[in-house]
Amino acid sequence: MLKLYNTASHKLEEFKPASEIVKIYTCGPTVYSYAHIGNLTAYIYWDLLIRLLRVNNYKIRRVLNLTDVGHLVSDGDEGEDKLEKGAAREGKTVYEVADFYIDAFMNDYRALELVEPEVLARATDYIDADIDAVDKMTENGFTYETTDGVYFDTSKFADYAKFAKLDLAGLQAGARVEFSGEKRNASDFAVWKFIQPGEKHAMRWDYLGRPGYPGWHLECSTIIDKEFGGPIDIHTGGVDHIPVHHTNEIAQYFAMTGRELSRFWLHCNFIMINNEKISKSLGNVYTLADLRERGFSPMDYKMWVLSGHYQGTRNFTFESLEAAKTRRLNWRNRIAESRQIEIDADSGFIQHLLEIIGNNLNSAEAFAVIDNTELSFEQWKKIDELFGLKLIADSPLISEKTQALVSAREEARKARDFTRADEIRDTLTAEGITVKDTSRGPIWQYLA
Ligand code: AMP
Ligand code: ZN
């Protein structure tokens, strides 16, 4: 059984797809800079969800979007477009910036062994669909025009406050001071922005007789409508998406189709670094490249992420990353051991593990149980498949020559030729191998 915490109902619910194929949408990155390790946590948690569904024999269609237009620096409708900002910073065109950071993101994605989505949807490939969507919402009476763009009238959607339990009256009162006058309600948002004369905005499309570009929230509703042709089973994102971005996605989708966007909504929490927010001013905006420079592989980081729960606030420290790395080395050595001696393993263990993870993706508990259970090589293969940790690939058998050295060392020990045994040990150390002497004979292990 798979139980997931559904933000829409605020409870743990049993998950079953509505049809044969599980339809999943993941809010993706805005591609204007490198992803930091906080940004990457979401894709790691959702990768576990995908892998778990796969192991449970579900067919999956997943769409991940890449935001290359329209996401302003603020969550509201003011400020610079993030892509324009990236282009100004780097002296490149917005399209060059987007291409560059899409590549960088996909490199991280692959380095983390994340299952590729069936569809990678680039926002600028859906502009015609965005325009159709705005037309549709307007036809259905959900929008109004201002000098600044086309706005969604949130008062027209009776359930607007429901998803995030918003206090709309409080929002309205709080916003009164800075209210521009043209916006009817504080929670209204742009579905299309007009480019004012003299305003610099390289990405522009003609709509309503003027140049403009889509509001950030629009792409997700449009892409889902276009790619799935109906509501989906699971929508994922970060907790910060709940009050604005996902609330607006739901409103737009309803205005376009009269339907509920998704049955399940999953949100992962933020990580802190040394108990502080990730921010440029603190100099803690680490990327995977920064971790590599300090001697940690993307798999060590994935191990760290999965050792906690997606809904918990996590505190990242390099000590805890070191612990994750050590744990992974320990697992690799247990894999090596399982290939050298017969392990008396419980044949029901994988089923037990799937039940643990099936309880709202409890990888933290699953890891603890793995730490304390004897496992066969076949079981390790399944575990590797389930978490995508490259455990088997990074645990190769030693060469025949090295194996011969291990045997020669044992011979020397038996003959009480300890000088020779120590010499061989040094040779093995240079090859990154150590030997543990056990009651079942010598067992080789990796040093790193
Ligand atoms: P940003 O580029 O900072 O707007 O972040 C993009 C997305 O990454 C956000 O919408 C969050 O969902 C996610 N994110 C940002 N910071 C963190 C963090 N510290 N921990 C987890 N997720 C984060
Ligand atoms: Zn989205």
Side-chain angles (χ1 to χ4, degrees):
M1 192 190 336
L2 174 56
K3 281 190 285 181
L4 297 170
Y5 185 85
N6 189 356
T7 309
S9 64
H10 308 279
K11 20 175 229 261
L12 260 188
E13 280 183 59
E14 185 181 350
F15 174 77
K16 288 226 177 76
S19 66
E20 205 195 335
I21 297 177
V22 187
K23 303 184 181 101
I24 305 180
Y25 184 85
T26 296
C27 282
T30 302
V31 285
Y32 73 115
S33 62
Y34 289 110
H36 61 62
I37 59 172
N39 302 137
L40 294 171
T41 58
Y43 310 104
I44 297 174
Y45 292 126
W46 312 140
D47 188 61
L48 177 61
L49 171 69
I50 298 294
R51 288 172 179 273
L52 182 64
L53 290 167
R54 268 206 325 201
V55 169
N56 281 304
N57 295 317
Y58 285 116
K59 290 199 189 98
I60 299 158
R61 178 171 168 82
R62 181 164 58 138
V63 177
L64 172 73
N65 71 310
L66 302 164
T67 301
D68 58 358
V69 64
H71 191 177
L72 303 188
V73 173
S74 91
D75 226 2
D77 296 305
E78 291 88 41
E80 239 177 314
D81 180 307
K82 288 187 175 182
L83 264 292
E84 301 281 337
K85 196 178 157 193
R89 179 188 65 219
E90 299 184 13
K92 290 182 181 169
T93 69
V94 274
Y95 290 97
E96 284 166 348
V97 168
D99 284 345
F100 181 84
Y101 289 110
I102 286 174
D103 272 356
F105 176 74
M106 291 316 293
N107 283 339
D108 286 350
Y109 199 91
R110 289 175 191 129
L112 287 165
E113 289 284 304
L114 305 174
V115 177
E116 303 235 348
E118 281 62 36
V119 180
L120 262 179
R122 196 169 162 157
T124 45
D125 289 336
Y126 294 81
I127 302 294
D128 288 345
D130 285 337
I131 288 175
D132 288 347
V134 179
D135 279 345
K136 191 108 210 153
M137 290 190 275
T138 301
E139 248 170 67
N140 294 340
F142 285 90
T143 69
Y144 59 93
E145 218 175 292
T146 72
T147 44
D148 181 54
V150 181
Y151 276 74
F152 190 103
D153 185 343
T154 53
S155 69
K156 296 277 168 66
F157 178 43
D159 279 344
Y160 186 76
K162 190 173 144 197
F163 181 69
K165 294 190 168 160
L166 297 176
D167 167 17
L168 292 183
L171 207 63
Q172 188 77 6
R176 191 136 297 151
V177 194
E178 74 248 45
F179 228 20
S180 74
E182 278 195 278
K183 241 165 90 165
R184 294 181 189 164
N185 312 286
S187 49
D188 292 357
F189 58 94
V191 289
W192 190 266
K193 291 273 282 184
F194 296 135
I195 297 170
Q196 305 301 334
E199 189 190 339
K200 275 204 194 128
H201 202 281
M203 286 194 184
R204 48 177 68 210
W205 294 269
D206 269 334
Y207 179 47
L208 302 174
R210 267 172 279 186
Y213 58 95
W216 170 47
H217 314 293
L218 185 58
E219 64 183 73
C220 294
S221 310
T222 302
I223 293 169
I224 289 170
D225 184 45
K226 199 84 188 143
E227 292 298 336
F228 294 105
I232 57 173
D233 296 295
I234 305 175
H235 193 308
T236 68
V239 281
D240 58 317
H241 293 147
I242 299 171
V244 183
H245 181 56
H246 287 168
T247 289
N248 292 350
E249 273 188 40
I250 291 168
Q252 290 167 152
Y253 192 78
F254 182 82
M256 287 154 61
T257 67
R259 302 176 80 176
E260 257 184 50
L261 180 54
S262 180
R263 294 189 306 123
F264 276 74
W265 289 82
L266 267 53
H267 291 99
C268 60
N269 216 327
F270 271 42
I271 66 163
M272 307 278 276
I273 296 189
N274 289 320
N275 290 312
E276 292 184 300
K277 275 174 85 166
I278 299 183
S279 82
K280 275 216 181 85
S281 56
L282 292 169
N284 63 4
V285 188
Y286 301 122
T287 60
L288 283 189
D290 294 324
L291 300 192
R292 280 196 192 96
E293 245 172 53
R294 291 171 183 241
F296 297 101
S297 74
M299 288 301 108
D300 296 330
Y301 183 61
K302 191 173 189 181
M303 194 89 185
W304 179 83
V305 172
L306 293 176
S307 66
H309 194 257
Y310 74 95
Q311 289 183 291
T313 21
R314 312 276 315 279
N315 186 37
F316 175 90
T317 60
F318 280 101
E319 291 75 45
S320 63
L321 184 60
E322 191 69 53
K325 182 180 175 168
T326 303
R327 190 182 217 173
R328 186 163 177 274
L329 174 62
N330 176 264
W331 287 11
R332 285 171 49 226
N333 275 324
R334 290 177 55 200
I335 289 172
E337 187 164 324
S338 75
R339 301 175 89 172
Q340 297 173 70
I341 56 172
E342 193 70 37
I343 305 278
D344 183 20
D346 168 8
S347 62
F349 178 73
I350 295 296
Q351 195 48 42
H352 175 55
L353 195 69
L354 291 178
E355 277 158 26
I356 291 172
I357 304 168
N359 183 16
N360 199 22
L361 307 179
N362 197 346
S363 51
E365 192 185 331
F367 274 24
V369 171
I370 291 170
D371 279 339
N372 294 308
T373 310
E374 294 278 355
L375 297 164
S376 68
F377 183 58
E378 286 309 308
Q379 289 174 327
W380 279 113
K381 282 207 263 192
K382 296 209 167 99
I383 287 169
D384 205 17
E385 176 79 32
L386 193 52
F387 295 112
L389 285 165
K390 275 174 90 179
L391 294 167
I392 305 286
D394 288 346
S395 311
L397 284 172
I398 51 175
S399 68
E400 274 179 32
K401 211 171 124 224
T402 310
Q403 184 63 57
L405 283 175
V406 172
S407 307
R409 178 182 164 275
E410 184 62 6
E411 293 303 313
R413 262 168 47 87
K414 277 190 186 146
R416 307 191 66 76
D417 182 352
F418 296 116
T419 315
R420 175 79 188 128
D422 285 351
E423 257 171 39
I424 299 176
R425 176 174 288 253
D426 290 346
T427 312
L428 287 169
T429 304
E431 289 186 21
I433 296 293
T434 182
V435 182
K436 192 171 76 168
D437 296 307
T438 76
S439 57
R440 301 178 68 175
I443 291 175
W444 57 262
Q445 299 192 317
Y446 311 105
L447 283 166

